Amino acid sequence: MKIRPEILDHWPEVRERLPAGFDLEATARLRGAFTRVREIKNAETLLRLALAYGGLGMSLRETCAWAEAGGIARLSDPSLLERLCKAAPWLGDIVATLIAEQAKVSAGRFAGHRLRVLDGTSICHPGADRTTWRLHVGYDLATAQVDQLELTDIHGAENLQRLAYTPGDIVLADRYYARPRDLRPVIDAGADFIVRTGWNSLRLLQTNGEPFDLFAALAAQQEQEGEVQVRVHEGMTGTPPPPLALRLIVRRKDPQQAQAEQERLLKDARKRGKKPDPRSLEAAKYILLLTSLPTATFAPADILALYRFRWQIELAFKRFKSLAGLDSLPAKKPELARAWLYARLIVAIIAEQIAGKSSPPLRAAATTPKTMRSSPRPLNLAHMTLTLSP
């Protein structure tokens, strides 16, 4: 999928791809994006201008010239800037509705579960040396589509509560999401998680509530893969809820992988003029996953195999940033930047729909027994071929 300028030359087709039942005029007026008819005659024209500016990367001046040449609207650069800044929340509503429409597609399931990935990607405005905006993305592995999206500024932290869960969901997330108070709400929603964790990400306890010695458990593990039953200290005050009992899945890395991670830690420490914590170097030898999935259904090897699919969200990030140009944000003014980003996302989503899926959905192969995909019986991924559908 690549955004091309010609997409706005086929406006009727683009208009048909907008959310069914989404009243552009009414929602624009409700959000304050379109309050009076002057240079811009209606909400649809405002949307076309926003997509030309943000979606196709035109400058404000180029957008005004394009609109005047096409008989769409006649307005000045400052006037367009003001209109786009006011339109940002409305454009965000359109993005959310487009994503919600995509999420209605029936998704495949693994042993009765829907596999989802949650991750965030950073966006910087011109001249910035650090994150300015953060895009939080929920990704459905079965359909290979974004099923939830949220744009925040730098203060929008990555956490598991960015997703809305339904019973049967399994969310895969990296170590930034291993936060003690974010785990229980996922379970309360009827979902489960597989979250990577570090040696100091969480305060882990033994099942009896006594302190848990992670490094003693790592040293005692005989096999390459294993698990330990643990509790998570949630740091709650008042009447404590029932203990949050989880499984800590441990896999010893291959020597080459462990060495590469240790060298990375040493390099980062040298840049900061510090010495790495010996515990970090020791933990670098292992993959640590925390999960709420039951032992009877998901063995440690299954948990590790499922987590490996987390990388597929990087394909979505690549489409958004490298191909759709989401990382080419030209605006510094926050309201204008939001409008640009939302417009870019609208065009990216519609262009992908027109072009067809850029990456094939993940599904169980036809050789997989139906009972393994739909019933709660034990799932053995060693005998389950996961393929990419054509």
Side-chain angles (χ1 to χ4, degrees):
M1 179 271 295
K2 184 176 181 180
I3 294 176
R4 298 182 59 85
E6 292 84 358
I7 190 169
L8 283 188
D9 293 338
H10 304 279
W11 177 249
E13 184 178 1
V14 173
R15 182 66 179 82
E16 288 180 3
R17 297 280 178 169
L18 294 175
F22 189 89
D23 190 326
L24 291 177
E25 204 73 27
T27 54
R29 291 185 179 278
L30 182 64
R31 276 297 209 168
F34 186 76
T35 55
R36 55 183 178 174
V37 177
R38 292 186 65 182
E39 302 96 337
I40 301 175
K41 302 304 181 184
N42 51 49
E44 183 171 316
T45 300
L46 176 61
L47 177 58
R48 294 184 71 180
L49 292 169
L51 298 188
Y53 169 68
L56 304 183
M58 295 183 187
S59 67
L60 292 170
R61 180 172 297 180
E62 288 171 336
T63 303
C64 292
W66 168 82
E68 184 172 354
I72 298 170
R74 186 175 182 178
L75 71 171
S76 65
D77 303 3
S79 179
L80 177 60
L81 187 152
E82 180 184 357
R83 292 297 191 98
L84 291 178
C85 288
K86 291 181 179 179
W90 176 59
L91 296 172
D93 292 343
I94 297 176
V95 171
T97 309
L98 282 169
I99 295 295
E101 288 291 314
Q102 286 190 169
K104 291 180 181 179
V105 177
S106 179
R109 287 179 172 261
F110 297 87
H113 296 274
R114 179 172 63 140
L115 299 182
R116 306 174 72 191
V117 185
L118 173 62
D119 205 351
T121 187
S122 299
I123 302 170
C124 301
H125 67 59
D129 59 356
R130 62 186 65 186
T131 299
T132 311
W133 301 93
R134 185 170 285 121
L135 191 65
H136 307 270
V137 176
Y139 188 77
D140 189 311
L141 283 171
T143 60
Q145 287 187 333
V146 172
D147 66 3
Q148 203 164 326
L149 187 148
E150 182 180 1
L151 178 67
T152 68
D153 60 19
I154 189 175
H155 303 293
E158 296 171 305
N159 65 72
L160 289 173
Q161 302 317 301
R162 295 287 177 190
L163 281 187
Y165 300 97
T166 57
D169 286 356
I170 298 176
V171 60
L172 315 177
D174 64 22
R175 68 188 71 199
Y176 295 107
Y177 295 86
R179 301 176 185 272
R181 298 192 182 186
D182 294 337
L183 302 176
R184 187 182 294 273
V186 178
I187 299 174
D188 290 344
D192 287 285
F193 55 79
I194 303 174
V195 178
R196 190 162 184 174
T197 186
W199 67 269
N200 57 351
S201 300
L202 299 162
R203 183 182 171 188
L204 299 179
L205 306 172
Q206 298 182 47
T207 53
N208 60 7
E210 294 295 319
F212 174 70
D213 190 334
L214 172 63
F215 292 98
L218 295 178
Q221 180 167 302
Q222 300 297 317
E223 303 295 329
Q224 186 178 26
E225 299 173 357
E227 71 172 281
V228 185
Q229 299 294 320
V230 296
R231 284 171 53 181
V232 173
H233 186 277
E234 298 176 81
M236 295 183 177
T237 58
T239 304
L244 185 59
L246 302 171
R247 300 162 61 197
L248 179 66
I249 308 299
V250 180
R251 184 183 187 278
R252 186 181 294 107
K253 295 179 183 178
D254 296 333
Q256 297 85 351
Q257 294 175 320
Q259 182 179 355
E261 179 63 14
Q262 289 174 331
E263 289 177 352
R264 185 189 68 79
L265 292 173
L266 290 167
K267 182 179 179 180
D268 289 346
R270 284 194 297 270
K271 285 183 178 180
R272 298 193 303 269
K274 298 181 179 180
K275 291 184 177 180
D277 192 313
R279 292 170 294 184
S280 296
L281 294 176
E282 180 62 24
K285 300 177 183 177
Y286 301 89
I287 294 173
L288 306 175
L289 301 178
L290 204 63
T291 184
S292 58
L293 290 167
T295 306
T297 309
F298 293 86
D302 301 336
I303 302 296
L304 289 159
L306 286 175
Y307 186 77
R308 292 188 188 104
F309 291 120
R310 197 198 68 81
W311 67 268
Q312 292 201 27
I313 197 172
E314 300 300 334
L315 299 178
F317 290 154
K318 182 177 181 180
R319 296 199 298 272
F320 279 147
K321 299 181 79 169
S322 299
L323 301 179
L326 200 65
D327 57 350
S328 303
L329 174 63
K332 291 185 179 181
K333 186 179 177 66
E335 296 86 354
L336 185 61
R338 281 188 182 274
W340 189 94
L341 289 167
Y342 283 136
R344 199 75 177 177
L345 288 168
I346 291 170
V347 173
I349 293 167
I350 292 177
E352 190 169 50
Q353 290 176 351
I354 292 173
K357 295 185 181 67
S358 296
S359 63
L362 184 70
R363 63 171 175 81
T367 55
T368 304
K370 290 183 179 180
T371 54
M372 194 172 288
R373 286 174 284 176
S374 58
S375 72
R377 64 183 293 180
L379 171 66
N380 185 350
L381 289 184
H383 303 291
M384 182 177 182
T385 305
L386 297 177
T387 65
L388 297 178
S389 65

